[in-house]
Amino acid sequence: TGEVELEPDEILVESIPAVMQYGKTRSVAVLGTGKVLTPENALIITNKAIWALTVPLAGVDEVVAGTDIGKWQWMSAYQDIINGLQEMISTLPLPELLKQGRAKRLMGWEEIKDAKTLPFTQAISLAKANGKKFGYAIRLKEDYQRAKKIFKIP
């Protein structure tokens, strides 16, 4: 992975643990083993941008015996994701947090053209002016409610 480029004065303001990207192929498996293409399981919100991060749990990006371990963790072991993220946030400076979490910068605040929820889900969708969209299902209701506030979604 490349170097994480932070903007000057970029600071962590919020984090949303236990998320799972939707709308893209999540994992591929051949003969029962494979890899997860979108392993990120947390969102990091800074004063400048939105980042997708992978809390490094064992198996987070593996498919074993046809089971997407990261998806299973999201469904069943989401507390491990929450605890892992809290541990990282409390012990690492932001650049190191993003680096260890193989973070991807989704967009800067000024790039968000549209933020909305999906009916009957705990999911948010963020769209850029160029049409590129990012959608994340959020495991816990309180984190989903917080995300709606962060992105000013009614």
Side-chain angles (χ1 to χ4, degrees), residues 31 33 43 53 84 87 97 102 104 106 111 136 144 149:
L31 302 176
T33 60
L43 294 176
L53 179 95
E87 172 79 11
L97 167 74
R102 298 177 299 192
K104 290 188 276 219
L106 299 181
E111 296 176 90
Y136 287 92
Y144 171 67
K149 280 195 186 95

Side-chain angles (χ1 to χ4, degrees), residues 1-153:
T1 57
E3 275 301 300
V4 172
E5 288 292 322
L6 286 168
E7 290 185 42
D9 307 320
E10 189 165 353
I11 56 167
L12 176 70
V13 288
E14 274 285 5
S15 63
I16 302 170
V19 304
M20 185 166 51
Q21 191 170 24
Y22 70 83
K24 293 200 169 126
T25 302
R26 186 171 152 77
S27 57
V28 290
V30 178
L31 302 176
T33 60
K35 67 179 189 168
V36 175
L37 306 173
T38 56
E40 55 264 26
N41 54 16
L43 294 176
I44 295 292
I45 291 99
T46 70
N47 57 333
K48 309 274 186 173
I50 294 86
W51 298 78
L53 179 95
T54 304
V55 176
L57 302 175
V60 71
D61 50 8
E62 294 174 20
V63 175
V64 179
T67 300
D68 176 334
I69 301 300
K71 188 173 186 177
W72 177 86
Q73 287 167 337
W74 182 82
M75 290 165 50
S76 307
Y78 56 88
Q79 194 60 52
D80 294 347
I81 299 170
I82 294 167
N83 295 346
L85 181 62
Q86 282 310 331
E87 172 79 11
M88 290 172 78
I89 288 171
S90 62
T91 59
L92 300 172
L94 183 60
E96 192 56 31
L97 167 74
L98 296 173
K99 193 173 169 200
Q100 282 192 23
R102 298 177 299 192
K104 290 188 276 219
R105 187 178 190 275
L106 299 181
M107 63 186 77
W109 280 100
E110 74 289 346
E111 296 176 90
I112 299 175
K113 183 179 155 264
D114 187 36
K116 62 185 182 201
T117 57
L118 288 144
F120 313 112
T121 67
Q122 282 186 188
I124 57 167
S125 171
L126 302 173
K128 291 168 78 164
N130 68 5
K132 192 162 175 143
K133 287 183 180 161
F134 298 93
Y136 287 92
I138 302 170
R139 183 68 180 81
L140 295 180
K141 188 175 180 83
E142 56 266 31
D143 292 326
Y144 171 67
Q145 298 297 353
R146 219 161 25 86
K148 283 174 47 175
K149 280 195 186 95
I150 292 165
F151 297 112
K152 297 177 177 46
I153 301 169

